[in-house]
């Protein structure tokens, strides 16, 4: 078996993997990207709509355009790119780690590296995960799979569509299906508020007159061979109102019910996961519980915007380079999710540097405030015009914010929303 | 063998686990045999949606035909596995009791098992039960241990049987729904709904849920098969609830209760429920029942979590009284009834093959052993079970072994292509054959890849790609 050695290997060639690899290269480390698909870009390749890059490139790009820009940054460098190659096994030994990559073009090769960057992205939750009862006919697709079929493969999965879940992918697919002449009869959401971005509700539903049923549960899928309809039941005061159930006839159901970081390889490598994000627990350098294994992008926690993925991944790449040169964080502070906060990532901050922290709210609120508490003392408050669970927040934890950490044996930072 | 001649010695209606076993058993003799099924692939009936347990021979007394065939069938699996290479493991069965009166029922089962000659059956204390199955609820009082009980992947078992039967000359006709029959001279003419017809001297009715309809088509005995539905949840292979053994509760008078089953392939199955339904096409799952399964299973194995659920499904038991009905028709000639094959039909099926062969012989079918009968089917490599070094070697000969299609279950392009070439051209057929689409993402990533491979290998158009035949078309249009 062929063996090759790099300072670092990046698993996954989406936005995150490319950004991390490019930083590693810029810092003088040898590195490789291993990507399962034939092309770099990850999920961006099928997102042919606009709305990418406002932060990173200061202009509005489509997904493929954004991917192309990222790819240009990688192509001119020393980064080795293996596409059509799947990492199937990781041996995260303390010094030199090995990755076994399977590919139709070269069989199996073994890549050795001192550091690994996990950038495998995420997968879609499916019918089984949300346990929709009923028949099991053809015509039930996750929204991302339908997006792939329409935008890349050129097939129309169905003509009369009901979208379950109001996540962004579902909203974008509602619009996409309308554009190709399909009828989207409804978007059905269990929560009392939509889980996608507001701009998508307006541009993808309102502009097409697609009804959004909030506080409605899909209680049954109907159809022996192909989908014939879905049964929808309203929820009032937390209870299912079975007597008010109704059926929407359709031939296709698209599910947009959330994403899950794709961490099976990470688990096999012994990486500890955070049950709130399903992503690895990472320190201030974005390093997981396994020394030398780092994570960024959607595999770490699900991001709404690719620009933040890139921002995080660049930091990860730079950190890996520092780590390879022997730098280790000293006296890190623990970061906790305080009141009304679903999660924070990373889980540690380095008081000797500026840190970027991402978080998600548990509540919907206007005129909210974010509090940074160090060892139970509020050190700074940041105003937030609007917070909601579906929109990721970020906060800069500066050296100044963390000044009081030194001197305490187990410094703790808590992020709270009110 | 005169393929396509349309004239056979035996026609078996129904390519479920019973029909497949009968076909394979007959393939050892100098006979022309045809196996027909109304679905697009074999094992798409009752035999795909069940618990997959090779039962332990203690649930029923010997006065029942089903108990005798269960015990005999269960013992045949080791040899079958060697010949046919399907996933099978004797992981053992525990029956857990949580109350004193359940312990008395355990004693009854134990005595029945001993009477049936079950090897190694024992009564267990609480301590022994927890040692055998550490994930059991510590409130367990005691129970039963049956080391010979096992688990099998039912559809893979059927696929292997049919492959072996075909290798030895049996012809398979799918999408062949038997809808008319007539007898003239010493031959049956059997007609399919689409107009095709074949002739056969003997007919075996192994039509599962629809054995009553098929019996009527041939003018044989009148009876009614009723469907009893069983719903399941499937849990991810990384679930902490994965047990070492099949875990049974103490059975009730109507069913063996809800179980926790560590499947051969590493996932966990919980269920089934048991409810009569009027409509034999109704394999829908229901919210109430699924909730019931989770709570019953959790009572035995507390680590079961709804977060590990990857899918749910239901199967229908073909019930007809409380025993199997396997005999030559008393009303029409040369017609064997294999009906009412509910649980333990899978376990009993190899013995049913033997039993039906003997029935046909008694009814005059001449059995002459083939000299070139080959009971073995070739072993197929599965990337999932191989080391990277082994995959590298395979890929040197066929690079498609290193092209991963299904990431969750680790299935390569070469395995998908093999499935298609073996005649599995629907998404479900490929799923059951290879496990691709069966893991945690349930096809979210690989479905489009598989559809493209089917089109490439078969020349089918996108509009002919179905989930499981008929009108279950996946795609409506092209852009
Ligand atoms: C439908 C949709 C619409 C979106 N819309 C917007 C928008 O309008 N604006 C915006 O800014 N953001 C949007 N986003 C979000 C943004 O595009 C993503 O968050 C971002 O692209 C994720 O990048 P990533 O690199 O973390 O993951 P991915 O893009 O998923 O990349 C992961 C890569 O890893 C590869 N991989 C995984 N496992 C392995 C392995 N074992 N071996 C080899 N390779 C592997 C995968 O093939 C994949 O290419 C959208 C996302 C989706 C899904
Ligand atoms: C929920 C459940 C759990 C079970 N668990 C177990 C277990 O753990 N262990 C065990 O031993 N047993 C178990 N069983 C029982 C076992 O699954 C069945 O006994 C067995 O699968 C029956 O096989 P069969 O071949 O008789 O029927 P089927 O598999 O249904 O085969 C009959 C075939 O006939 C075909 N057919 C019907 N009508 C026509 C027609 N007109 N023309 C052509 N073809 C036709 C159908 O398409 C079908 O493929 C369980 C059953 C259920 C439902």
């Amino acid at each position: 078996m062929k063996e090759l050695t790099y300072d670092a290997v990046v698993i996954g060639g989406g936005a995150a993997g490319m950004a991390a690899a490019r930083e590693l290269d810029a810092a003088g480390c040898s590195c490789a990207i291993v990507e399962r698909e034939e092309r770099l870009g990850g999920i961006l390749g099928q997102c042919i709509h606009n709305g990418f890059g406002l932060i990173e490139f200061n202009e509005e790009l489509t997904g493929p355009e954004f991917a192309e820009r990222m790819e240009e940054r990688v192509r001119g460098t020393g980064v080795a790119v293996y596409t059509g190659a799947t990492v199937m096994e990781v041996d995260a030994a303390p010094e030199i780690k090995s990755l076994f990559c399977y590919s139709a073009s070269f069989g199996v090769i073994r890549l050795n590296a001192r550091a690994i960057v996990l950038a495998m992205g995420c997968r879609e939750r499916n019918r089984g995960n949300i346990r929709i009862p009923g028949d099991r006919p053809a015509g039930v697709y996750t929204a991302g799979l339908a997006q792939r079929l329409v935008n890349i493969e050129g097939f129309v999965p169905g003509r009369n569509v009901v979208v379950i879940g109001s996540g962004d992918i579902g909203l974008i697919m509602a619009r996409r299906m309308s554009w190709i002449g399909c009828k989207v009869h409804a978007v059905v959401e269990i929560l009392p508020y939509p889980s996608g971005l507001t701009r998508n509700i307006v541009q993808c539903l309102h502009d097409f007159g697609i009804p959004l049923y909030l506080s409605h549960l899909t209680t049954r899928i109907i159809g022996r061979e192909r989908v014939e309809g879905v049964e929808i039941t309203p929820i009032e005061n937390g209870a299912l109102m079975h007597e008010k159930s109704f059926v929407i006839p359709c031939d296709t159901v698209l599910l947009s019910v959330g994403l899950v970081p794709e961490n099976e390889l990470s688990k096999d490598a012994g990486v500890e996961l955070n049950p709130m994000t399903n992503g690895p627990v990472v320190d201030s350098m974005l390093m997981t519980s396994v020394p030398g294994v780092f994570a960024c992008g959607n595999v770490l926690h699900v991001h709404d915007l690719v620009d933040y993925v890139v921002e995080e991944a660049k930091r990860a790449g730079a950190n890996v380079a520092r780590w390879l040169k022997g730098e280790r964080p000293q006296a890190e502070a623990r970061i906790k999710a305080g009141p009304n906060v679903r999660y924070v990532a990373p889980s540690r901050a380095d008081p000797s540097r500026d840190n970027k922290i991402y978080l998600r709210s548990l509540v919907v609120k206007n005129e909210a405030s974010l509090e940074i508490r160090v060892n139970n003392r509020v050190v700074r408050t940041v105003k937030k015009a609007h917070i909601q669970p579906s929109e990721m927040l970020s906060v800069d934890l500066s050296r100044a914010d963390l000044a009081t950490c030194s001197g305490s044996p187990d410094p703790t930072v808590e992020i709270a929303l009110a | 063998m005169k393929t396509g001649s349309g004239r056979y010695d035996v026609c078996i209606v129904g390519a479920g686990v019973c029909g497949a076993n009968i076909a394979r058993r007959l393939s050892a003799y100098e006979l022309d045999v045809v196996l027909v099924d109304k679905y697009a692939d074999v094992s798409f009936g009752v035999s795909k949606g069940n618990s997959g347990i090779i039962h332990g021979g203690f649930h029923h007394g010997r006065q029942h035909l089903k108990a005798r065939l269960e015990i005999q069938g269960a013992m045949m699996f080791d040899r079958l596995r060697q010949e046919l290479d399907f996933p099978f493991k004797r992981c053992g069965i525990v029956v857990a009791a949580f109350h004193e009166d359940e312990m008395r029922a355990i004693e009854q089962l134990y005595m029945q098992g001993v009477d049936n000659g079950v090897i190694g059956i024992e009564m267990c204390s609480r301590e022994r039960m927890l040692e055998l199955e550490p994930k059991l609820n510590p409130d367990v009082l005691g129970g039963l241990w049956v080391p010979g009980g096992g688990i099998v992947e039912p559809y893979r078992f059927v696929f292997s049987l049919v492959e072996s039967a075909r290798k030895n000359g049996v012809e398979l006709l799918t999408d062949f729904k038997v809808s008319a029959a007539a007898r003239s001279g010493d031959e049956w003419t059997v007609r399919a709904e689409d107009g095709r017809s074949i002739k056969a001297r003997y007919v075996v009715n192994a039509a599962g849920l629809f054995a009553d309809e098929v019996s009527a088509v041939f003018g044989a005995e009148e009876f009614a098969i009723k469907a009893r539905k069983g719903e399941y949840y499937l849990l991810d292979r990384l679930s902490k609830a994965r047990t070492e053994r099949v875990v049974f509760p103490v059975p009730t008078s109507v069913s063996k209760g809800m179980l926790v089953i560590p499947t051969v392939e590493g996932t966990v199955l919980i269920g089934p429920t048991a409810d009569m339904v009027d409509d034999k096409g109704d394999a829908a799952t229901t919210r109430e029942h699924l909730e019931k399964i989770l709570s019953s299973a959790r009572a035995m194995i507390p680590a079961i979590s709804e977060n590990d659920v990857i899918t749910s499904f239901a199967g229908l038991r073909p019930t007809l009284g409380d025993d199997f009905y396997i005999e030559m028709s008393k009303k029409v000639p040369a017609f064997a009834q294999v009906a009412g094959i509910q649980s333990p039909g899978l376990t009993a099926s190899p013995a049913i093959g033997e039993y039906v062969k003997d029935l046909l012989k008694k009814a005059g079918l001449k059995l002459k052993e083939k000299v070139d009968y080959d009971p073995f089917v070739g072993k197929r490599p599965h990337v999932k079970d191989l080391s990277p070094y082994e995959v590298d070697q395979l890929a040197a000969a066929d690079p498609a072994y290193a092209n991963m299609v299904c990431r969750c279950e680790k299935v390569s392009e070469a395995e998908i292509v093999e499935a298609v070439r073996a005649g599995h051209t629907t998404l479900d057929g490929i799923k059951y054959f290879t496990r691709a689409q069966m893991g945690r993402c349930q096809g979210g990533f690989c479905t489009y890849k598989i559809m493209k491979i089917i089109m490439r290998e078969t020349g089918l158009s996108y509009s002919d790609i179905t989930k499981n035949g008929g009108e279950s078309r996946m795609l409506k249009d092209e852009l």
Side-chain angles (χ1 to χ4, degrees):
Chain A
M1 178 180 305
K2 199 164 147 195
E3 272 190 55
L4 288 154
T5 300
Y6 299 91
D7 291 330
V9 173
V10 180
I11 311 178
M18 289 193 280
R22 139 92 199 218
E23 287 306 306
L24 273 157
D25 181 77
C29 303
S30 68
C31 90
I33 299 178
V34 187
E35 167 56 49
R36 180 178 39 215
E37 300 295 326
E38 293 304 325
R39 302 207 43 186
L40 291 174
I43 199 71
L44 289 168
Q46 65 186 58
C47 303
I48 60 171
H49 56 283
N50 266 320
F52 299 82
L54 283 170
I55 305 172
E56 184 61 27
F57 296 104
N58 267 318
E59 57 180 304
E60 207 176 353
L61 304 172
T62 65
E65 284 167 353
F66 190 100
E68 218 165 285
R69 297 275 181 100
M70 295 296 298
E71 195 176 337
E72 278 163 21
R73 289 179 175 179
V74 168
R75 285 292 175 192
T77 67
V79 175
V81 177
Y82 299 92
T83 51
T86 308
V87 177
M88 292 292 287
E89 242 181 87
V90 174
D91 175 6
E95 287 303 321
I96 302 295
K97 304 171 197 329
S98 306
L99 300 94
F100 293 93
C101 313
Y102 291 26
S103 155
S105 52
F106 51 70
V108 182
I109 56 170
R110 175 178 177 154
L111 303 183
N112 300 318
R114 282 163 61 214
I116 292 176
V117 181
L118 306 173
M120 291 93 76
C122 54
R123 67 163 178 274
E124 299 180 273
R125 300 216 305 151
N126 55 50
R127 174 178 180 180
N129 299 138
I130 60 163
R131 304 197 300 283
I132 307 176
D135 296 320
R136 314 195 58 74
V140 182
Y141 287 95
T142 55
L145 175 57
Q147 185 180 44
R148 164 105 208 179
L149 286 170
V150 173
N151 291 351
I152 299 190
E153 310 299 336
F155 293 118
V156 183
R159 284 281 163 208
N160 287 286
V161 182
V162 169
V163 178
I164 298 176
S166 60
D168 288 314
I169 316 179
L171 299 177
I172 283 164
M173 279 312 288
R175 176 175 65 185
R176 184 72 181 118
M177 296 303 280
S178 307
W179 270 338
I180 60 172
C182 301
K183 174 90 188 137
V184 179
H185 296 270
V187 173
V188 183
E189 169 61 56
I190 185 174
L191 295 173
Y193 49 87
S195 58
L197 300 171
T198 312
R199 71 162 196 229
N200 284 336
I201 299 288
V202 175
Q203 293 171 6
C204 302
L205 301 189
H206 296 178
D207 292 1
F208 292 85
I210 298 170
L212 170 63
Y213 293 92
L214 296 173
S215 296
H216 278 69
L217 184 68
T218 308
T219 38
R220 193 154 59 101
I221 288 178
I222 303 161
R224 292 283 157 82
E225 297 190 297
R226 175 84 195 191
V227 173
E228 289 162 18
V230 288
E231 181 193 80
I232 309 293
T233 306
I235 303 171
E236 291 174 14
N237 304 317
L240 275 174
M241 308 308 286
H242 284 294
E243 61 287 357
K244 294 189 186 167
S245 293
F246 57 99
V247 171
I248 306 179
C250 59
D251 62 24
T252 304
V253 176
L254 298 189
L255 297 168
S256 173
V257 291
L259 302 169
V260 194
E262 178 88 334
N263 273 297
E264 281 63 40
L265 268 184
S266 325
K267 278 193 214 174
D268 286 347
V271 166
E272 185 196 336
L273 300 186
N274 175 349
M276 291 312 288
T277 55
N278 288 304
V281 176
V282 290
D283 69 8
S284 67
M285 294 185 90
L286 302 177
M287 187 167 84
T288 68
S289 60
V290 177
V293 178
F294 296 74
C296 58
N298 279 349
V299 80
L300 178 56
H301 58 121
V302 175
H303 298 62
D304 333 317
L305 291 182
V306 69
D307 302 80
Y308 295 128
V309 166
V310 169
E311 176 188 84
E312 181 181 80
K314 281 183 181 173
R315 213 164 329 106
N319 288 341
V320 177
R322 286 167 48 212
W323 187 88
L324 284 166
K325 289 174 184 135
E327 254 186 74
R328 299 290 181 270
Q330 304 293 325
E332 290 185 306
R334 235 160 20 99
I335 315 178
K336 281 200 322 199
N340 301 324
V341 176
R342 185 173 166 78
Y343 73 80
V344 287
S347 315
R348 295 191 177 263
D350 182 347
S352 67
R353 308 172 66 94
D354 293 340
N355 297 264
K356 183 102 187 175
I357 308 301
Y358 299 102
L359 63 144
R360 270 183 203 271
S361 168
L362 283 166
V363 295
V364 182
K365 198 172 175 207
N366 290 324
E367 308 300 329
S369 66
L370 181 154
E371 256 177 31
I372 304 168
R373 303 173 182 167
V374 176
N375 293 336
N376 294 321
R377 262 195 45 238
V378 178
V379 298
R380 190 154 60 92
T381 306
V382 186
K383 293 270 165 264
K384 295 277 173 192
H386 177 80
I387 56 174
Q388 68 181 57
S390 59
E391 293 192 20
M392 195 177 80
L393 304 168
S394 70
V395 59
D396 291 304
L397 273 188
S398 66
R399 262 193 327 193
D401 292 330
L402 301 173
T404 55
C405 286
S406 62
S408 93
D410 180 19
T412 308
V413 181
E414 191 179 51
I415 311 285
L417 288 168
Chain B
M1 175 71 224
K2 318 164 286 289
T3 324
S5 65
R7 274 204 132 83
Y8 302 89
D9 297 307
V10 185
C11 166
I12 301 159
V13 183
V17 73
C18 292
N21 267 290
I22 298 164
R24 177 174 187 263
R25 191 65 194 89
L26 294 180
S27 74
Y29 302 96
E30 299 284 353
L31 293 171
D32 290 331
V33 178
V34 65
L35 176 62
V36 305
D37 203 288
K38 66 176 180 182
Y39 288 127
D41 205 338
V42 306
S43 200
F44 272 15
V46 181
S47 300
K48 74 167 186 297
N50 56 56
S51 308
I53 297 169
I54 301 311
H55 282 295
F58 57 86
H59 275 112
H60 312 284
R62 288 191 80 83
Q63 70 279 18
H64 289 102
L65 174 63
K66 65 180 178 185
R68 300 195 297 276
L69 292 172
E70 170 187 344
I71 295 158
Q72 191 194 340
M75 289 194 295
M76 296 165 74
F77 271 83
D78 302 274
R79 172 156 175 199
L80 283 167
R81 195 188 87 124
Q82 284 193 348
E83 293 172 346
L84 300 176
D85 188 37
F86 56 91
F88 165 64
K89 199 169 120 195
R90 289 207 191 268
C91 58
I93 292 173
V94 294
V95 185
F98 291 90
H99 304 289
E100 273 309 328
D101 41 351
E102 288 191 343
M103 276 311 283
R104 281 191 291 280
I106 291 280
E107 205 176 325
Q108 288 293 313
L109 289 176
Y110 172 76
M111 293 190 335
Q112 192 156 276
V114 171
D115 193 46
N116 287 352
V118 174
I119 298 164
I121 188 168
E122 48 177 273
M123 298 249 321
C124 303
S125 65
R126 171 176 184 274
E127 224 181 323
R128 174 107 174 105
M129 287 294 282
L130 287 170
E131 186 183 294
L132 285 163
E133 183 43 68
K135 302 233 166 97
L136 266 177
N137 184 336
D139 292 343
V140 65
L141 279 186
L144 195 69
W145 164 232
V146 186
I151 41 178
V152 62
E153 273 208 71
Y155 31 82
R156 286 278 294 280
F157 178 44
V158 179
F159 289 167
S160 296
L161 286 162
V162 173
E163 185 181 343
S164 168
R166 291 176 77 186
K167 185 174 176 184
N168 290 294
V170 170
E171 201 174 331
L172 172 68
L173 300 176
T174 49
D175 288 318
F176 192 107
K177 181 174 182 185
V178 173
S179 54
R183 180 129 185 127
S184 62
D186 68 345
E187 239 178 12
W188 286 104
T189 300
V190 183
R191 263 179 227 294
E193 211 172 39
D194 65 3
R196 281 180 287 170
S197 84
I198 53 153
K199 290 185 190 306
R201 292 195 297 126
Y202 291 81
V203 169
V204 178
N205 171 16
L209 282 167
F210 304 96
D212 48 357
E213 290 175 17
V214 170
S215 185
V217 163
F218 284 82
E221 282 78 359
E222 280 171 35
F223 52 88
I225 305 267
K226 297 256 190 307
R228 195 188 306 123
K229 194 194 282 187
E231 297 175 38
Y232 295 92
Y233 273 136
L234 187 69
L235 311 183
D236 192 283
R237 59 173 66 247
L238 296 177
S239 163
K240 290 192 179 68
R242 174 149 174 109
T243 56
E244 291 294 314
R245 323 285 176 197
V246 177
V247 183
F248 277 78
V250 171
T252 66
S253 57
V254 290
S255 102
K256 300 189 175 87
M258 278 190 257
L259 335 172
V260 178
I261 305 153
T263 70
V264 201
E265 294 287 7
T267 51
V268 181
L269 198 57
I270 58 176
T273 51
D275 298 281
M276 297 308 294
V277 290
D278 294 332
D279 177 353
K280 291 197 274 194
D282 171 15
T285 54
T286 54
R287 185 162 294 270
E288 309 76 63
H289 290 155
L290 291 175
E291 296 308 326
K292 200 162 84 187
I293 296 171
L294 271 174
S295 62
S296 314
R298 231 185 253 130
M300 296 198 297
I301 307 291
I304 286 172
S305 157
E306 57 199 67
N307 293 334
D308 291 333
V309 172
I310 55 181
T311 188
S312 57
F313 64 89
L316 298 172
R317 305 169 182 87
T319 69
L320 174 65
D322 72 344
D323 207 346
F324 295 166
Y325 167 44
I326 311 180
E327 47 189 72
M328 294 306 292
S329 169
K330 298 194 175 74
K331 225 174 136 188
V332 297
F335 187 80
Q337 303 276 21
V338 183
I341 313 296
Q342 52 173 314
S343 185
L346 177 65
T347 313
S349 62
I352 292 175
E354 220 35 65
Y355 193 86
V356 171
K357 175 211 72 177
D358 291 338
L359 279 182
L360 293 171
K361 185 175 174 197
K362 251 190 255 154
L365 183 68
K366 293 272 171 303
L367 298 180
K368 177 163 174 275
E369 280 183 31
K370 266 184 201 151
V371 284
D372 58 351
Y373 173 67
D374 178 2
F376 291 92
V377 297
K379 280 199 189 342
R380 292 199 171 84
H382 301 292
V383 165
K384 178 171 70 68
D385 305 327
L386 301 174
S387 76
Y389 295 91
E390 292 168 315
V391 175
D392 195 33
Q393 281 181 352
L394 270 180
D398 181 357
Y401 275 107
N403 184 20
M404 300 313 296
V405 172
C406 165
R407 52 169 98 171
C408 306
E409 295 294 322
K410 302 187 176 162
V411 184
S412 65
E413 181 191 353
E415 291 160 80
I416 308 282
V417 169
E418 262 181 354
V420 176
R421 293 191 182 153
H424 307 289
T425 53
T426 65
L427 284 165
D428 279 357
I430 288 172
K431 172 168 86 180
Y432 296 127
F433 192 82
T434 64
R435 296 193 59 74
Q437 322 157 63
M438 223 180 241
R440 61 184 69 87
C441 92
Q442 291 283 301
F445 283 110
C446 61
T447 303
Y448 78 89
K449 296 188 181 183
I450 297 172
M451 293 198 278
K452 280 164 73 174
I453 295 173
I454 301 176
M455 289 187 241
R456 183 189 76 201
E457 291 295 315
T458 60
L460 287 175
S461 130
Y462 73 89
S463 56
D464 298 329
I465 303 295
T466 63
K467 184 171 188 292
N468 45 32
E471 287 304 314
S472 66
R473 293 176 209 287
M474 294 295 291
L475 302 169
K476 291 274 177 186
D477 224 328
E478 229 172 348
L479 279 181

